[in-house]
Amino acid sequence: MARVLDVVDIADPADPRLDDFRDLNSIDRRPDLPTGKGLVIAEGVLVVQRMLASRFDPRALLGTDRRLSELADDLAGRDVPYYRVSAEVMAQVVGFHLNRGVLAAASRVPEPTLADLLGGARTIAVLEGVNDHENLGSIFRNGAGLGVDAVVFGAGCADPLYRRAVRVSMGHALLVPYVRSTRWPDDLGLLREHGFRLLAMTPDPRAQTLSAAMDTVRDEPLAVLVGAEGPGLSETTMRASDIRVRIPMSRGTDSLNVATAAALAFYERCRTAP
Amino acid sequence: MARVLDVVDIADPADPRLDDFRDLNSIDRRPDLPTGKGLVIAEGVLVVQRMLASRFDPRALLGTDRRLSELADDLAGRDVPYYRVSAEVMAQVVGFHLNRGVLAAASRVPEPTLADLLGGARTIAVLEGVNDHENLGSIFRNGAGLGVDAVVFGAGCADPLYRRAVRVSMGHALLVPYVRSTRWPDDLGLLREHGFRLLAMTPDPRAQTLSAAMDTVRDEPLAVLVGAEGPGLSETTMRASDIRVRIPMSRGTDSLNVATAAALAFYERCRTAP
């Protein structure tokens, strides 16, 4: 017989069954830190739904009765406890008022190999030094909406499974496959061996414009390389790329936010190579 | 004789000359609220430089000695006091540690009329219900970089001069001309009288794609209409528009962040009507 959703009412915020969700803002509970518990946390109905559709299998949910009813269809037949609490108990457990009203916690899963990730992908994003969780989350959201098949992390990137990155990504950090490069920047050579053209985003005025460059690679697998706002891509990575590309900008302005620049590249890729 | 920058060393955080910069996070000092003082605050060297280049004339600056030297060229010959303080005094005055190290305060200035704003503009952004300061700031930053001449605010928008909006805009909220519509949505008619085509962004799958639509308006003045994430543009505004436009999105994804969607529209406008 299939096991089913187990709704458990809890009134005591100190109940140890709620430990997965305790003090989420506390620095030593952050899953991206070595001292953290390593759990992946989804917040809110939409992101929890995406976690349920992802490779991350929730081991527990914590939420109000209202959110339980909103998730009823998604949770039907799932073998997972739903700890049903009041909004007050929830705030005491997580350490702040969480108006999204529901959380799910899942263990991490092994990452694919880079070679596995590249098989079948046509457009990937490659990030270097993107150490801001909001930018990282936005890149996943933009990539999911604009045809990116997978993401590769080079050196210096933040954890895409940190709670804020997952939230800003609207849950797409749980759905878009990614891998952390273990041999950076040498792995760029592996991308090239798999047939990918390496397109490096830069504010350099001598670089090709985005639309001109995308037109030249429309029939080939493409890796869009972006670096952090400010420093941009490292010189080593720039040299390892095939094409340097810029977004034409108005005079007197800086580069765009890294997630916005990436969105423009992904959009232009979709437009030129549908 | 030209009056010059007046550097004043202050050691007492209670000094009344610092009142423009006091308790910036306090809700009743927020300049966008009716109870606020209405001052426009620029934070950090880059944004202060943009304020100095804008129509907002600073009446005082507060900062450390290090930031004073970084701003020396920009401030040369300006008739404005620079209150030079330690980082500790600065934190006590503003109510939190501000690692950008310098602030400038300016009075508001009268907004132009809508007719003045439209004269000479070729591409404008029209916002409705964009009530998030970060999104608003990002739209100004993206617009400044991607060829937007002016911004019109319809109903329900936040204050573009609020500190966080100015900061996220990288100071472009002080430079890109804007006006708040006083007759909304009737003012859309005035845009049309000035020859503008009204292009409404929507997730509606029946709408034209962004690239197809932009191609049809390349020779005409254009207003890009965007609504808040979630509700989008009101039905009244949608009906008042000329063309409904969508960004082609991957299946199973939501709409993009409003500032990102706007950036794609501005980019596509630059590409098709350079």
Side-chain angles (χ1 to χ4, degrees):
Chain A
M1 194 183 99
R3 294 185 58 195
V4 293
L5 177 72
D6 185 18
V7 179
V8 183
D9 287 302
I10 296 184
D12 176 8
D15 192 307
R17 289 173 292 183
L18 307 183
D19 283 355
D20 282 357
F21 305 102
R22 205 170 295 288
D23 299 331
L24 290 180
N25 269 350
S26 169
I27 194 80
D28 62 352
R29 302 301 293 261
R30 281 179 48 181
D32 59 329
L33 296 176
T35 54
K37 291 189 68 183
L39 290 177
V40 184
I41 304 283
E43 291 171 80
V45 168
L46 176 68
V47 177
V48 168
Q49 286 170 326
R50 294 210 164 122
M51 177 181 272
L52 289 164
S54 80
R55 63 194 185 280
F56 299 94
D57 190 24
R59 57 190 223 173
L61 292 93
L62 169 69
T64 60
D65 186 60
R66 176 166 163 211
R67 299 306 180 207
L68 174 58
S69 47
E70 290 174 26
L71 285 165
D73 287 350
D74 306 280
L75 290 169
R78 300 287 294 225
D79 175 20
V80 62
Y82 188 102
Y83 299 124
R84 182 164 56 185
V85 295
S86 66
E88 293 69 35
V89 168
M90 190 152 182
Q92 286 177 271
V93 173
V94 304
F96 54 93
H97 179 70
L98 190 117
N99 60 15
R100 291 180 185 79
V102 64
L103 295 164
S107 298
R108 293 185 177 232
V109 297
E111 291 180 11
T113 65
L114 181 54
D116 283 348
L117 193 84
L118 299 178
R122 261 196 68 76
T123 304
I124 65 172
V126 179
L127 315 184
E128 185 183 56
V130 180
N131 56 10
D132 176 281
H133 289 112
E134 281 195 39
N135 284 338
L136 212 53
S138 296
I139 290 172
F140 270 91
R141 182 182 182 188
N142 297 341
L146 298 166
V148 169
D149 300 312
V151 177
V152 175
F153 293 109
C157 292
D159 178 7
L161 298 184
Y162 178 54
R163 190 165 56 90
R164 190 147 59 98
V166 171
R167 183 178 70 227
V168 173
S169 81
M170 308 289 270
H172 291 294
L174 307 175
L175 289 166
V176 177
Y178 70 82
V179 68
R180 272 172 260 240
S181 164
T182 50
R183 300 183 313 125
W184 183 263
D186 296 348
D187 274 336
L188 291 171
L190 191 62
L191 266 59
R192 197 177 278 110
E193 283 169 33
H194 277 75
F196 282 81
R197 297 295 297 278
L198 309 185
L199 186 152
M201 303 289 288
T202 170
D204 188 338
R206 295 164 302 178
Q208 286 190 46
T209 66
L210 187 54
S211 56
M214 285 293 183
D215 229 28
T216 67
V217 295
R218 54 192 305 160
D219 298 322
E220 294 166 275
L222 180 69
V224 176
L225 279 58
V226 294
E229 241 172 300
L233 291 166
S234 69
E235 196 44 46
T236 311
T237 299
M238 289 298 294
R239 273 197 299 268
S241 70
D242 296 311
I243 316 171
R244 301 184 185 204
V245 175
R246 66 182 170 87
I247 295 162
M249 303 276 294
S250 308
R251 274 192 310 154
T253 58
D254 320 281
S255 63
L256 297 164
N257 166 282
V258 58
T260 306
L264 295 178
F266 304 156
Y267 168 82
E268 197 62 303
R269 170 66 166 175
C270 289
R271 190 184 66 79
T272 53
Chain B
M1 194 183 99
R3 293 185 58 194
V4 293
L5 177 71
D6 185 17
V7 178
V8 183
D9 286 302
I10 295 183
D12 177 8
D15 192 307
R17 289 173 291 183
L18 307 183
D19 282 355
D20 282 357
F21 305 102
R22 205 170 294 289
D23 299 331
L24 290 181
N25 270 349
S26 170
I27 194 79
D28 63 352
R29 301 301 291 264
R30 281 179 48 183
D32 58 330
L33 295 176
T35 53
K37 290 189 67 182
L39 291 178
V40 185
I41 305 283
E43 291 171 81
V45 169
L46 177 69
V47 178
V48 168
Q49 286 170 326
R50 294 209 164 122
M51 178 181 271
L52 289 165
S54 79
R55 63 193 185 279
F56 299 94
D57 191 25
R59 58 190 223 173
L61 292 93
L62 169 68
T64 60
D65 186 60
R66 177 168 162 208
R67 300 307 180 207
L68 174 59
S69 45
E70 289 173 25
L71 285 165
D73 288 350
D74 305 281
L75 290 170
R78 300 286 294 224
D79 175 20
V80 61
Y82 187 102
Y83 299 123
R84 182 164 57 185
V85 296
S86 66
E88 293 69 37
V89 168
M90 190 150 182
Q92 286 177 272
V93 173
V94 303
F96 55 92
H97 179 71
L98 190 117
N99 60 15
R100 291 180 185 80
V102 64
L103 295 164
S107 298
R108 295 186 176 232
V109 296
E111 291 181 11
T113 65
L114 181 53
D116 283 347
L117 193 85
L118 298 178
R122 260 196 68 75
T123 303
I124 65 171
V126 180
L127 315 184
E128 184 183 56
V130 180
N131 55 11
D132 176 279
H133 289 111
E134 281 195 38
N135 284 338
L136 211 54
S138 297
I139 289 171
F140 270 92
R141 182 182 181 187
N142 297 341
L146 298 166
V148 169
D149 300 312
V151 177
V152 175
F153 293 110
C157 292
D159 178 8
L161 298 183
Y162 178 54
R163 189 165 56 91
R164 190 147 58 98
V166 171
R167 184 178 70 227
V168 172
S169 81
M170 307 290 270
H172 291 294
L174 308 175
L175 289 166
V176 178
Y178 69 81
V179 68
R180 272 172 261 240
S181 164
T182 51
R183 301 183 312 126
W184 182 263
D186 296 350
D187 274 337
L188 291 170
L190 191 62
L191 266 58
R192 197 177 278 108
E193 283 169 34
H194 277 75
F196 282 81
R197 296 294 297 278
L198 309 185
L199 186 152
M201 303 289 288
T202 170
D204 188 339
R206 296 164 302 179
Q208 286 189 48
T209 66
L210 187 55
S211 57
M214 285 293 184
D215 229 28
T216 67
V217 295
R218 55 193 304 160
D219 298 321
E220 294 166 276
L222 180 69
V224 175
L225 279 57
V226 294
E229 240 172 299
L233 291 166
S234 69
E235 196 44 46
T236 311
T237 299
M238 290 298 295
R239 273 197 299 269
S241 70
D242 296 312
I243 315 171
R244 300 184 186 205
V245 175
R246 67 183 168 86
I247 296 162
M249 302 276 293
S250 307
R251 275 192 310 153
T253 57
D254 322 280
S255 63
L256 296 164
N257 165 280
V258 58
T260 307
L264 295 178
F266 304 156
Y267 168 81
E268 197 61 303
R269 170 66 165 175
C270 290
R271 190 184 66 80
T272 53

